[in-house]
Amino acid sequence: MSIRSTASSLAAAAALLLAGGLAASASTLEEVKARGTLNCGVNEGLLGFGAKDSAGNWSGFDVDFCKAVATAIFNDPAKVTYVPLSATDRFDALKTGKVDLLSRNSTWTLDREADLGIVFAGVTYYDGQGFMVKRASGKTSALELDGATVCVQAGTTTEPNFIDYFTTNTMKYTEVSAATPAEALDAYTSGKCDTITSDVSQLYAEKAGLSAPGDSIILPEVISKEPLGPAVRADDEAWRLLVQWVNFALVNAEELGVSSDRIDEAKASKKPEVMRLIGTDGDFGSKLGLSNDWIANMVKAVGNYGEIYERNLGVDSKLGIPRGLNQLWSRGGIQYAPPIR
C-alpha cells in the first residue's frame, strides 16, 4: 500500500471515529428537546423554594426557574419532570445525568466546581447562614450562643460554617447532626437542641411551618456568604450558557419593566433594549439554540425575576422575606445582569 493511500485510509478512519464520537455525545439541549421534558432537580420539600402540594403540583422560587428554562426551550412551563433530591445526592444526580439541571438552593463554592465536575450558572438568590432559637431563651444575638446545642444538616456548607463561627468566637457547642432539614427541625421542635442553623431563607421557611411560629426567632447575625444558584454539568458549555442567560434575562426583564402582564406593551416598544430583550430586534435566541422570542414567552409564563421573588418569598408571601441583597442593583441590592446586545 502506498504512503498516500495509507494516509487516506487513516484520515477516513479518523473521520469515522470523530463522527461516531460526536453522535454519541449529543448536547444536553438536544437531549432535552428529544425527550420532550426538562429533568430538573429540586428540593425534597422547602416552603417557598421547592415543594409539592397534596395534588402533586410543584411550586417555589427554584421550581419557577425550572419552569422558566422549560418555557425558553419548549414555550411550555409544564414540560418539566421534577426530581426531588436530598443535599447528599443532589450533585451525584446531576453528574450522572439523572437531571439536566439542579435548581435546589445550592451554594456556589470553589470545591464544588473544582472537584465535582459541575459548574454554577449564576446566582439567583444571595443568602447567608443564620440561627433560630426559642423566643423564651431570651437570646437576641448569635454571640450569646456559648454552650448551645446546635441542630445542623450534615453534608452541607452549613456544618463547617457554624463550627468556624463558634471557634472564631471561642464559644462551646454540642452538635446534633441530621440527615435532612426535616430531621433537624424535628430535633429542634422536640427539644433535642436549643438552636438550629441553616441558610436564613430556609430558617424563614421552617419558622413559617411551625405550629407556633411566634415562639421562635431568627437571630440577626448572618455568618456566611451563601450565593445560591442553578448548577449544570461542566462538560456542556452551550447548556451552561443557556441556563445562565435564563437567569440574566429574568433580571433584565425586571429592570426594564417587562412583566408578565405587560408583554404585549413590550412587543410594541421601540426602545432598543426592550426590543432586544423581547426578540423584535436581533437574533439572540438563535445563538442559544432557541427561538428569538424565548424571553417574551418565558416572562409571560412565569414572570420576571421580581415577580418570581415576590410570589414565592416576598413580603406578601407566606415567608415574608424582604428583598435585601436580592433587590436590583439600581434599587440598593446586588442583583445585576449583563446586557443583551
Side-chain angles (χ1 to χ4, degrees):
M1 182 180 289
S2 69
I3 294 175
R4 179 176 295 178
S5 61
T6 300
S8 298
S9 298
L10 289 172
L16 286 171
L17 285 171
L18 178 60
L22 290 174
S25 57
S27 74
T28 305
L29 179 59
E30 290 171 342
E31 291 175 356
V32 170
K33 286 181 175 179
R35 188 191 308 128
T37 185
L38 172 73
N39 292 338
C40 201
V42 293
N43 201 290
E44 293 175 300
L46 180 61
L47 182 66
F49 284 88
K52 184 169 64 171
D53 64 20
S54 58
N57 299 312
W58 284 89
S59 65
F61 180 83
D62 292 332
V63 167
D64 279 349
F65 189 82
C66 299
K67 292 179 180 179
V69 175
T71 305
I73 298 168
F74 299 111
N75 192 18
D76 186 349
K79 290 194 173 182
V80 183
T81 300
Y82 297 103
V83 182
L85 298 169
S86 70
T88 303
D89 61 18
R90 55 184 162 169
F91 297 119
D92 282 340
L94 179 60
K95 287 192 299 180
T96 59
K98 184 177 180 180
V99 297
D100 309 303
L101 165 67
L102 182 66
S103 183
R104 185 208 176 281
N105 60 311
S106 299
T107 301
W108 186 352
T109 70
L110 171 62
D111 273 351
R112 287 174 175 174
E113 287 201 321
D115 296 342
L116 300 181
I118 65 170
V119 289
F120 284 79
V123 179
T124 53
Y125 189 92
Y126 290 96
D127 208 348
Q129 187 172 331
F131 299 93
M132 183 165 67
V133 298
K134 301 292 176 55
R135 186 181 297 275
S137 70
K139 291 181 172 58
T140 58
S141 168
L143 293 172
E144 298 172 346
L145 293 177
D146 188 22
T149 301
V150 184
C151 284
V152 61
Q153 185 182 2
T156 65
T157 56
T158 308
E159 191 171 23
N161 284 346
F162 106 80
I163 293 172
D164 285 351
Y165 182 78
F166 273 70
T167 301
T168 298
N169 290 287
T170 61
M171 297 191 299
K172 296 179 181 179
Y173 65 89
T174 300
E175 178 178 340
V176 178
S177 182
T180 67
E183 287 182 14
L185 188 62
D186 285 344
Y188 171 75
T189 57
S190 66
K192 293 179 181 177
C193 57
D194 50 51
T195 305
I196 185 169
T197 185
S198 185
D199 292 348
V200 172
S201 62
Q202 183 163 320
L203 293 177
Y204 269 96
E206 291 174 338
K207 182 175 182 290
L210 295 174
S211 58
D215 290 349
S216 292
I217 62 169
I218 297 171
L219 298 176
E221 287 85 358
V222 176
I223 68 168
S224 71
K225 294 185 294 184
E226 304 294 332
L228 310 181
V232 297
R233 288 181 293 279
D235 61 358
D236 192 337
E237 172 61 17
W239 179 245
R240 184 204 62 79
L241 194 67
L242 186 156
V243 174
Q244 173 183 269
W245 278 95
V246 166
N247 179 21
F248 291 157
L250 293 171
V251 174
N252 277 323
E254 182 185 9
E255 186 176 343
L256 293 172
V258 177
S259 55
S260 58
D261 59 350
R262 298 183 67 186
I263 290 298
D264 291 338
E265 179 183 338
K267 288 180 177 178
S269 175
K270 298 303 180 184
K271 294 180 179 179
E273 287 179 306
V274 174
M275 293 174 69
R276 289 192 293 270
L277 181 86
I278 292 300
T280 52
D281 181 43
D283 61 346
F284 300 103
S286 64
K287 297 177 187 296
L288 299 173
L290 305 172
S291 64
N292 285 328
D293 60 352
W294 66 280
I295 300 175
N297 296 335
M298 188 172 67
V299 172
K300 184 176 182 179
V302 301
N304 61 35
Y305 179 86
E307 290 179 279
I308 292 171
Y309 186 99
E310 294 303 329
R311 177 168 61 244
N312 295 295
L313 309 174
V315 293
D316 293 326
S317 72
K318 291 181 179 179
L319 299 191
I321 306 176
R323 283 283 292 267
L325 293 177
N326 293 294
Q327 184 58 267
L328 295 177
W329 67 279
S330 55
R331 299 177 189 171
I334 60 174
Q335 279 293 356
Y336 184 100
I340 296 173
R341 61 178 314 127

